[in-house]
Amino acid sequence: MNLETFYEYCLSKKGASEHFPFDEDTLVLKVGGKMFALSSLSQWEKNEASVNLKCDPERAQELRAEYDDIKPGYHMSKVHWNTVALNGSLPESFVKELIDHSYELVFKSLTKKIQNEIIDQG
């Protein structure tokens, strides 16, 4: 998966928006004001791309045990976040599933009012 594909896929999610709240390097994708994906732009340039994605804690443990390129979230809650290496070892469709899972977890955590506002946008 390249940066453009990652970026466009994340922004295709209903209500998704991009932010740089920490620095000019860390791209943060949010829904309803909450993060669902973070990635360092400079790491993409070095061909060392990875993304932090929210994950159900039980599934997070299973994924880390099964895949060498899925680790506890770097600089994040190790319980709820994974860092997924985007070096080509994981199929793009699987990475998209992980992005979907992260987005859905965050979306479901939003208030019904905010969820409805996002749904009504389109």
Side-chain angles (χ1 to χ4, degrees), residues 75-114:
H75 284 309
M76 305 293 284
S77 164
K78 309 290 187 233
V79 175
H80 296 280
W81 290 83
N82 281 335
T83 297
V84 179
L86 301 176
N87 57 17
S89 71
L90 300 172
E92 189 172 304
S93 59
F94 180 60
V95 174
K96 286 180 176 181
E97 263 180 56
L98 297 174
I99 293 169
D100 293 344
H101 177 66
S102 180
Y103 173 87
E104 288 162 16
L105 281 175
V106 174
F107 184 82
K108 288 177 186 171
S109 76
L110 301 172
T111 65
K112 290 291 179 205
K113 180 180 184 233
I114 293 173

Side-chain angles (χ1 to χ4, degrees), residues 5 14 17-18 26-27 40 42-43 45 55 58 61 63-64 70-71 77 84 89-90 93-94 96-97 111 117-118 121:
T5 302
K14 199 171 255 306
S17 57
E18 69 170 276
T26 308
L27 170 64
S40 163
S42 63
Q43 293 303 106
E45 291 170 7
C55 191
E58 194 172 303
Q61 292 292 336
L63 290 169
R64 292 172 197 165
I70 300 180
K71 310 250 186 257
S77 164
V84 179
S89 71
L90 300 172
S93 59
F94 180 60
K96 286 180 176 181
E97 263 180 56
T111 65
E117 287 172 1
I118 291 167
Q121 283 177 2

Side-chain angles (χ1 to χ4, degrees), residues 21-79:
F22 305 116
D23 54 39
E24 293 177 0
D25 179 56
T26 308
L27 170 64
V28 176
L29 294 134
K30 295 182 179 186
V31 61
K34 294 190 174 189
M35 298 185 292
F36 72 91
L38 296 88
S39 190
S40 163
L41 297 179
S42 63
Q43 293 303 106
W44 286 90
E45 291 170 7
K46 296 176 190 171
N47 289 322
E48 298 172 3
S50 66
V51 60
N52 283 3
L53 297 169
K54 194 153 191 162
C55 191
D56 171 74
E58 194 172 303
R59 184 172 184 214
Q61 292 292 336
E62 293 167 6
L63 290 169
R64 292 172 197 165
E66 190 171 343
Y67 299 97
D68 290 339
D69 285 325
I70 300 180
K71 310 250 186 257
Y74 181 70
H75 284 309
M76 305 293 284
S77 164
K78 309 290 187 233
V79 175

